[in-house]
Amino acid sequence: MSAIESVLKENRVFEPSETFTAHANVSGMDAYNALCEKANADYEGFWAELARDNITWKQPFTKILDESNAPFFKWFEDGKLNISYNCIDRHLADKADKVAIIYDKDDGSSENITYRQLYERVCQLANGLKSLGVKKGDRVVIYMPMVADAVVAMQACARLGAIHSVVFGGFSAGAVKDRVKDAAAKIIITANESVRGGKRVPLKATVDDALAGGDCTSVEKVVVLQRTDADVAWSDDRDIWWHDLVQHQASDCEPEWVGAEDPLFILYTSGSTGKPKGVQHSTGGFLLGAIVSMKWVFDYKPNDVFWCTADVGWITGHTYIAYGPLALGATQVVFEGVPTYPDAGRFWHDIEKFKVTIFYTAPTAIRSLIKLGADLPKKYDLSSLRLLGTVGEPINPEAWMWYYQIVGNSRCPIVDTWWQTETGSNMIAPLPGAVAIKPGSCTLPLPGIIADIVDESGAPVEKGNGGFLVIKRPFPSLLRTVWGDNERFKSTYFPEDFGGKYYVAGDSAHRDENGYIWIMGRVDDVLNVSGHRLGTMEIESALVANPLVAEAAVVGKPHDVKGEAVVAFVVLKGERPHGDEAKRMAAELKNWVAHEIGKIAQPDDIRFGENLPKTRSGKIMRRLLRSLAKGEEITSDISTLENPQVMEQLKHSV
């Protein structure tokens, strides 16, 4: 099969400022290269030193890396620790009165929670869960709004050594049931309702539906947070209010000291069909990845106000809300709302209000905000910002430039981070005081991450050619297995096609002449057009570079001659066009792509919508777009979409 072709060209380069570099945790390329050389010279020693320096161990480890049962790697196996202790208790001596969480509520009000207050809330809930019989190794499903108590629930489970599985609060009853059953959860923690964008969403009722069939026999109790004044159906022998559970509990709780390899959490990745895949992370390795990346990628300083806009239902909310910032004793914003409520200035208003210094969000949110008010950030004082970040998917260069110039006032480095649920923490990202940045590139691997781009035989490809992104050495924050399915873990992430040796990410990528890595999209999103393998992200970037386009998603559909035809779903910055105007716009955009990257990438079919089908976390549902492109009937549940009505708009070609 021919190599994946890279057709996107980007020549703009932004060096870190002398001022930023002077104060950075990794200061300059010499410092970055020295860390990489240290890892290459003594890989195990490199990670062991970081683990000893950054984690408080109850029992220090003597074993570093065990590769004897590859790919079931073990790190720091005989060490004992507790992640809740590392995130809260160890800060009480000097940071008890420091604000840990600024809880930014949907209605715009806020609550400050200090480390002492967080400690007491976590301990009371942990004691409450203990009174319900929760112990080390038990599974607890957390199905909650993006409230501060979602973090409290995760920390309380970790304090007891219980394994939490957070289910995103926008998922359906069927999705909740599947995850509860697979994990054999003993307890579910939920809320009566969530509040998002001024709208109320029933959560307890969804849990009731999930449990109604009698399939979830493992569940003993449902703990319910009272987020609103709404009444809910109640089962006296099963349901218990959170406030009643914690009311008389002690505000101290001795942490359960667990092995570094003991599971910390299961996080399900939702596939289009079949059984959900429970990504299982360890305690010690995951914590180390979270801490090190906070220091290196986000250049964390003690006076920073960190804001990651993710939901704890996703891995980003685990690593960069529930654990990473707290492990460093940071002050962070926990955001309940949506970026467009009460208006499209919400993010910028709150950055000004809370004097946020580090802001980490998704390209999807950035593109939506460009469409809703490209000049809005200029109305707010964003001078507190010193670092911007993106996560979730590649960011197209034009959105990158808007983020850099308008939000960051051309002075804040952007850390474009590549990583996955499975990797647990950032893998490839510019260290902002060292690495020059290019719009659209995640740049270079973190020190100690041995990444490469290979062909289908596992051989490295030449610069400029695309291939499969792999990581060649095990690293501490890597998933340990798929819950209850070791064979699926091996076949999915360490496939025999590559000799079973490398972690295969499932993404295509290429390296440019400077060795920078560019993510081209999922391998299963690679299009084979007349024998040319094209990454969808590059075509999307070309479309969004057009000044009239706010957002685009590209998929393929079968074509008798070409093999695959390119189908583009486009959202314009203005009104959705109709009739002749739509035909004119489609022709203009096809010519635009042909001019930008070549006729081979020119879309055969362009469809316009007011938006793209997205989950409530902002992820574009490309699976649905592929079905629409092929003219297939949508039979799967679309109730979890933020905007199901756009499906009808996108059905029809211009």
Side-chain angles (χ1 to χ4, degrees):
M1 191 180 289
S2 60
I4 301 168
E5 297 179 34
S6 170
V7 288
L8 182 68
K9 301 299 178 190
E10 177 57 62
N11 299 312
R12 291 169 289 194
V13 180
F14 299 85
E15 298 283 348
S17 71
E18 290 182 9
T19 304
F20 197 103
T21 296
H23 298 97
N25 292 335
V26 179
S27 179
M29 280 303 290
D30 287 347
Y32 167 80
N33 289 327
L35 284 168
C36 293
E37 288 163 12
K38 190 173 181 180
N40 291 335
D42 180 6
Y43 191 73
E44 292 188 23
F46 173 80
W47 286 113
E49 182 179 336
L50 287 169
R52 292 187 181 106
D53 289 349
N54 288 286
I55 293 174
T56 303
W57 297 89
K58 179 69 169 178
Q59 176 181 303
F61 59 89
T62 61
K63 301 175 182 177
I64 304 172
L65 171 61
D66 181 356
E67 299 182 78
S68 62
N69 188 29
F72 301 98
F73 306 107
K74 295 179 179 179
W75 284 92
F76 323 123
E77 182 184 2
D78 58 344
K80 288 192 178 298
L81 74 160
N82 181 277
I83 200 167
S84 179
Y85 181 93
N86 274 271
C87 289
I88 306 173
D89 304 44
R90 67 173 175 171
H91 305 312
L92 295 180
D94 59 345
K95 299 184 185 73
D97 296 326
K98 182 178 180 178
V99 174
I101 290 173
I102 301 169
Y103 169 29
D104 185 11
K105 301 179 186 180
D106 185 73
D107 65 3
S109 64
S110 61
E111 174 191 0
N112 288 353
I113 302 167
T114 66
Y115 274 91
R116 166 61 66 184
Q117 291 166 332
L118 182 62
Y119 170 82
E120 292 175 352
R121 285 165 72 157
V122 168
C123 287
Q124 285 182 313
L125 181 60
N127 285 326
L129 293 174
K130 200 186 291 188
S131 75
L132 299 180
V134 175
K135 58 187 185 304
K136 179 185 173 185
D138 286 341
R139 274 79 64 205
V140 176
V141 161
I142 298 172
Y143 181 67
M144 289 186 71
M146 258 309 292
V147 294
D149 279 326
V151 177
V152 171
M154 296 165 77
Q155 288 281 345
C157 291
R159 195 164 193 87
L160 299 177
I163 303 166
H164 63 66
S165 182
V166 182
V167 179
F168 173 57
F171 277 158
S172 65
V176 174
K177 181 172 78 170
D178 288 343
R179 288 153 176 75
V180 168
K181 282 179 64 178
D182 191 67
K186 186 173 188 173
I187 302 287
I188 299 176
I189 304 177
T190 188
N192 61 341
E193 292 183 315
S194 68
V195 184
R196 295 184 81 255
K199 299 173 184 174
R200 294 183 173 197
V201 181
L203 295 185
K204 169 65 163 57
T206 303
V207 170
D208 290 344
D209 288 348
L211 300 182
D215 291 341
C216 301
T217 55
S218 61
V219 175
E220 296 176 7
K221 294 287 182 183
V222 176
V223 178
V224 186
L225 179 76
Q226 188 169 8
R227 173 62 186 89
T228 70
D229 58 3
D231 292 329
V232 288
W234 204 256
S235 171
D236 287 331
D237 58 345
R238 187 195 69 195
D239 301 337
I240 182 169
W241 286 109
W242 176 309
H243 56 263
D244 289 338
L245 180 64
V246 303
Q247 186 176 11
H248 300 296
Q249 299 294 342
S251 55
D252 292 295
C253 176
E254 179 67 17
E256 179 76 27
W257 303 103
V258 303
E261 278 299 316
D262 283 338
L264 173 65
F265 64 84
I266 307 163
L267 185 56
Y268 286 89
T269 57
S270 51
S272 56
T273 58
K275 183 180 175 185
K277 186 171 55 180
V279 170
Q280 177 187 319
H281 276 286
S282 72
T283 300
F286 171 81
L287 178 60
L288 182 60
I291 291 174
V292 168
S293 55
M294 281 291 301
K295 288 186 173 181
W296 289 349
V297 177
F298 296 106
D299 193 51
Y300 169 74
K301 302 290 194 302
N303 59 349
D304 276 319
V305 176
F306 182 82
W307 184 10
C308 169
T309 68
D311 190 288
V312 291
W314 312 112
I315 187 63
T316 306
H318 282 55
T319 313
Y320 299 111
I321 295 177
Y323 293 113
L326 296 177
L328 288 174
T331 296
Q332 67 168 324
V333 176
V334 171
F335 178 56
E336 181 178 32
V338 296
T340 54
Y341 180 81
D343 56 52
R346 180 66 186 263
F347 275 178
W348 324 129
H349 171 274
D350 290 2
I351 288 170
E352 177 184 300
K353 179 180 178 181
F354 301 121
K355 295 182 169 50
V356 172
T357 60
I358 304 171
F359 183 64
Y360 191 35
T361 196
T364 302
I366 294 166
R367 290 192 295 266
S368 298
L369 292 166
I370 294 171
K371 176 178 167 60
L372 292 167
D375 291 328
L376 263 178
K378 295 177 181 177
K379 297 180 179 179
Y380 298 89
D381 179 4
L382 306 183
S383 60
S384 61
L385 288 170
R386 67 178 193 88
L387 184 65
L388 302 172
T390 69
V391 59
E393 60 180 307
I395 181 169
N396 57 285
E398 294 315 307
W400 191 103
M401 288 301 301
W402 180 86
Y403 195 33
Y404 181 74
Q405 293 172 337
I406 303 302
V407 179
N409 198 24
S410 301
R411 59 176 182 78
C412 299
I414 296 177
V415 288
D416 177 356
T417 61
W418 178 85
W419 60 298
Q420 300 174 307
T421 301
E422 293 86 350
T423 69
S425 60
N426 298 155
M427 294 285 104
I428 306 171
L431 304 197
V435 178
I437 45 183
K438 297 184 182 183
S441 172
C442 53
T443 70
L444 302 174
L446 272 62
I449 302 303
I450 315 301
D452 204 353
I453 299 165
V454 301
D455 63 21
E456 286 161 320
S457 68
V461 300
E462 294 181 7
K463 284 181 181 177
N465 286 342
F468 298 87
L469 181 58
V470 300
I471 301 178
K472 291 188 162 182
R473 290 296 310 272
F475 50 92
S477 66
L478 179 66
L479 82 160
R480 294 306 189 255
T481 189
V482 170
W483 178 259
D485 198 341
N486 287 343
E487 286 305 312
R488 190 176 183 186
F489 166 73
K490 285 166 59 175
S491 63
T492 302
Y493 301 113
F494 292 86
E496 287 301 324
D497 295 354
F498 297 84
K501 297 182 297 183
Y502 303 154
Y503 170 77
V504 180
D507 280 344
S508 59
H510 77 276
R511 271 199 176 99
D512 66 17
E513 65 278 3
N514 301 119
Y516 279 32
I517 292 173
W518 298 75
I519 305 299
M520 299 164 65
R522 296 293 296 168
V523 170
D524 54 13
D525 284 339
V526 170
L527 307 182
N528 195 338
V529 181
S530 300
H532 298 266
R533 301 184 74 214
L534 304 174
T536 55
M537 178 265 174
E538 299 190 299
I539 304 172
E540 291 167 4
S541 288
L543 283 163
V544 178
N546 185 293
L548 300 176
V549 176
E551 195 162 18
V554 168
V555 299
K557 70 175 180 181
H559 189 279
D560 290 342
V561 177
K562 299 179 180 180
E564 275 190 294
V566 177
V567 182
F569 298 86
V570 173
V571 181
L572 298 179
K573 291 177 180 173
E575 296 294 317
R576 180 168 72 101
H578 297 84
D580 290 343
E581 175 64 9
K583 289 177 182 176
R584 187 190 66 76
M585 277 299 309
E588 183 179 320
L589 291 175
K590 288 177 183 180
N591 291 333
W592 173 273
V593 173
H595 177 265
E596 288 287 299
I597 56 178
K599 280 201 169 185
I600 190 64
Q602 189 176 47
D604 297 73
D605 181 2
I606 291 185
R607 305 182 187 188
F608 296 103
E610 291 169 2
N611 211 318
L612 298 174
K614 297 171 187 172
T615 65
R616 293 191 179 100
S617 68
K619 181 180 179 183
I620 297 169
M621 294 295 286
R622 295 171 193 276
R623 167 176 57 84
L624 296 178
L625 294 178
R626 282 192 285 269
S627 295
L628 287 176
K630 294 173 186 174
E632 297 173 347
E633 186 180 351
I634 306 295
T635 57
S636 56
D637 179 19
I638 62 169
S639 64
T640 59
L641 292 181
E642 185 79 57
N643 45 4
Q645 72 282 357
V646 302
M647 296 293 289
E648 190 62 36
Q649 297 174 4
L650 298 171
K651 271 185 183 178
H652 310 292
S653 301
V654 171

